[in-house]
Amino acid sequence: MNEKVVILDFGSQYTQLIARRLRELNVYCEIYPYNKSAENYKDAKAIILSGSPFSVLDDNALYVDLKDMFGTKPVLCVCYGAQLTAKQLGGEVLKSEKREYGKASLNVVKEDCALFSGLHEKSQIWMSHGDTISKIPDNFEIIGTTDDIPVAAYQSKVGAFEHGVYCLQFHPEVTHSVEGSRILENFVKNIVGLACDWTPTSFIDDKVADLKDAIGDDRVVLGLSGGVDSTVAAMLIHRAIGEKLYCVFIDNGLLRKNEFESVLDSYKDLGLNVIGIDAGSKFLSELNGVSDPETKRKIIGRVFIEVFQEEATKISDVKWLAQGTIYPDVIESVSVHGPSVTIKSHHNVGGLPDVLKLKIVEPLRMLFKDEVRKVGKALGLAQSFIGRHPFPGPGLAIRVLGEITEEKVRLCQEADAIYINKLKEHGWYDQVWQAGAILLPVKSVGVMGDERTYEFTVALRCVNSVDGMTAEWSNLPYTLLAEVSSEIINSVKGINRVVYDISTKPPATIEWE
């Protein structure tokens, strides 16, 4: 990766969108906490400062010394970053009389401005801030206004710094800023001078070379899940080191119906060394009586480690543990404010305990899900792998709400199998991001024939997304939902009610636990 852009995250809900937009421009980028030492990104070609829910006027405002950063490479400052620049370099930031939020029209006031090259007159932009810049620092000039805001964008004057500083009070990364991608493209291509040639093929070439250098003649063990992430990770490592990769597929008793057998069968044609382990009874025994979601995740992570360790020690001379960790896992497990406010724990982030005495290799750690699929396609993987819906690491443990029992898992598996098969049968499976059935800890009265029933409720979840960071519920046809509901209720004894989840992420998550 010779051309990298670093995004310093001040906690904005839009930070990941900046990364998404840059990746769409074939630019490799990484997100770091705002206070990450500059030594960690001295190789970056440019820096972008994100927005933030904080105000630069607050006592607890997030602070980084910009004077040492500016001039070393081009910097784009978005919203909070623009306000922090003004405050630190001698400008003035005031509380707005009203929150500046929503659509606005950009007036470009400097015609030769490289950042706004090619924009249409009155281009629509998106504001989201409670402070306003009333005065810009010396050696800066205004390049954009709106009808309500005199400083919508400003930049350093020629000669003020060795490399330019560009500041926006709006968010170019959101779709409401209609030409926001053009602004970002102008920055990375015309100002920074990047080639914008980071593609799946170039990623594969670079990553395989890196893996060969790092691993050498060592052996690697990898935990397969059957999903696209671990499969693509396995194929990348296999391409680099061949038969020295050993894959372990563990049945935790929480997989989809018949998944253990079908996944093992599907791997036969890939040339991988795959060992299948049936450990369902051990996982279910450890989960007995547990209902707290986070406790479930930690138990599953711990038992997985125990089973995996037992199998890994049977393979001689293993030095590395490979994982299919992807970027959303990393982002959701790390916060600019520290681990106390992480969204949820991921048992595959951060590596297994030191007791394994294995080094960690995560070839997909910096990729979003859609990028993993593109890499998989470039590696020649079949659509059955690439198009497979994401499935949570803890499996059905977090789709069977409340206490786990073998019977509840079976009910969820049966309902899920009917649901997924109907989506495939009607041509919807490949049109949506992820679908699954959730068994609720709720029983309700029903009538079947002349009998009164008192059985469980199943919620169907189906969402559309690009990378899993945000998601919209899928607008499935009523006729399809009715057909799924009818078959579940008629075929799965123990379920007498089916509902459909129409929540978006955020504020909801894709999984219920």
Side-chain angles (χ1 to χ4, degrees), residues 49-85:
L49 308 184
S50 82
S52 175
F54 288 86
S55 163
V56 296
L57 303 176
D58 291 344
D59 292 337
N60 61 344
L62 306 183
Y63 179 85
V64 62
D65 193 342
L66 302 176
K67 294 175 184 176
D68 295 334
M69 180 190 306
F70 289 172
T72 61
K73 57 201 68 182
V75 181
L76 177 65
C77 310
V78 176
C79 201
Y80 184 91
Q83 294 155 6
L84 189 63
T85 299

Side-chain angles (χ1 to χ4, degrees), residues 119-293:
L119 262 61
H120 290 89
E121 187 176 348
K122 294 286 186 179
S123 182
Q124 179 181 295
I125 56 176
W126 182 259
M127 298 284 188
S128 180
H129 54 89
D131 297 335
T132 191
I133 298 170
S134 58
K135 177 188 174 185
I136 63 173
D138 294 339
N139 293 323
F140 282 79
E141 58 187 345
I142 295 173
I143 57 175
T145 68
T146 71
D147 293 342
D148 298 319
I149 302 174
V151 185
Y154 65 104
Q155 68 181 17
S156 57
K157 293 180 179 178
V158 175
F161 300 99
E162 184 177 346
H163 299 282
V165 178
Y166 305 84
C167 303
L168 306 175
Q169 275 246 82
F170 59 90
H171 289 272
E173 68 272 24
V174 302
T175 54
H176 297 302
S177 290
V178 176
E179 295 182 287
S181 289
R182 179 62 181 268
I183 294 171
L184 293 173
E185 183 178 10
N186 284 339
F187 177 69
V188 297
K189 185 177 287 187
N190 299 338
I191 294 172
V192 184
L194 301 185
C196 299
D197 58 358
W198 187 70
T199 63
T201 301
S202 66
F203 170 83
I204 292 169
D205 293 341
D206 291 342
K207 184 55 65 177
V208 168
D210 290 345
L211 290 168
K212 285 180 178 179
D213 289 341
I215 297 170
D217 293 326
D218 294 342
R219 290 185 174 184
V220 179
V221 63
L222 179 148
L224 282 174
S225 69
V228 63
D229 299 337
S230 64
T231 303
V232 172
M235 293 304 292
L236 273 172
I237 298 170
H238 180 70
R239 180 169 290 194
I241 66 171
E243 296 298 312
K244 294 190 289 291
L245 170 67
Y246 295 81
C247 302
V248 178
F249 180 38
I250 298 173
D251 182 0
N252 59 11
L254 301 162
L255 304 177
R256 292 188 176 104
K257 183 179 179 181
N258 299 326
E259 186 169 29
F260 185 57
E261 297 79 10
S262 64
V263 167
L264 283 176
D265 187 63
S266 64
Y267 279 124
K268 288 179 180 177
D269 297 329
L270 297 183
L272 300 174
N273 297 322
V274 182
I275 305 164
I277 307 298
D278 183 356
S281 59
K282 181 174 177 63
F283 280 86
L284 292 174
S285 174
E286 293 279 350
L287 288 166
N288 184 41
V290 178
S291 58
D292 178 69

Side-chain angles (χ1 to χ4, degrees), residues 385-401:
F385 281 111
I386 297 169
R388 183 181 169 87
H389 286 187
F391 189 65
L396 297 182
I398 57 172
R399 292 186 182 176
V400 175
L401 304 197

Side-chain angles (χ1 to χ4, degrees), residues 223-231 249-260 262-263 267 297 300 324-326 329 344 346-348 369 373 384-400 404 409 412-417 419-420 429 432-439 461 463 467-468 510-513:
L224 282 174
S225 69
V228 63
D229 299 337
S230 64
T231 303
F249 180 38
I250 298 173
D251 182 0
N252 59 11
L254 301 162
L255 304 177
R256 292 188 176 104
K257 183 179 179 181
N258 299 326
E259 186 169 29
F260 185 57
S262 64
V263 167
Y267 279 124
R297 288 177 178 272
I300 292 167
T325 308
I326 64 173
D329 296 336
K344 59 188 177 184
H346 289 267
H347 66 261
N348 64 326
K369 176 72 79 171
R373 288 196 169 110
S384 58
F385 281 111
I386 297 169
R388 183 181 169 87
H389 286 187
F391 189 65
L396 297 182
I398 57 172
R399 292 186 182 176
V400 175
I404 303 291
V409 172
C412 193
Q413 285 175 330
E414 295 292 341
D416 180 79
Y419 185 26
I420 297 300
Y429 184 84
V432 299
W433 164 266
Q434 183 174 349
I438 298 95
L439 187 74
R461 183 73 157 137
V463 297
D467 49 42
I510 294 177
E511 300 296 341
W512 277 46
E513 287 190 343

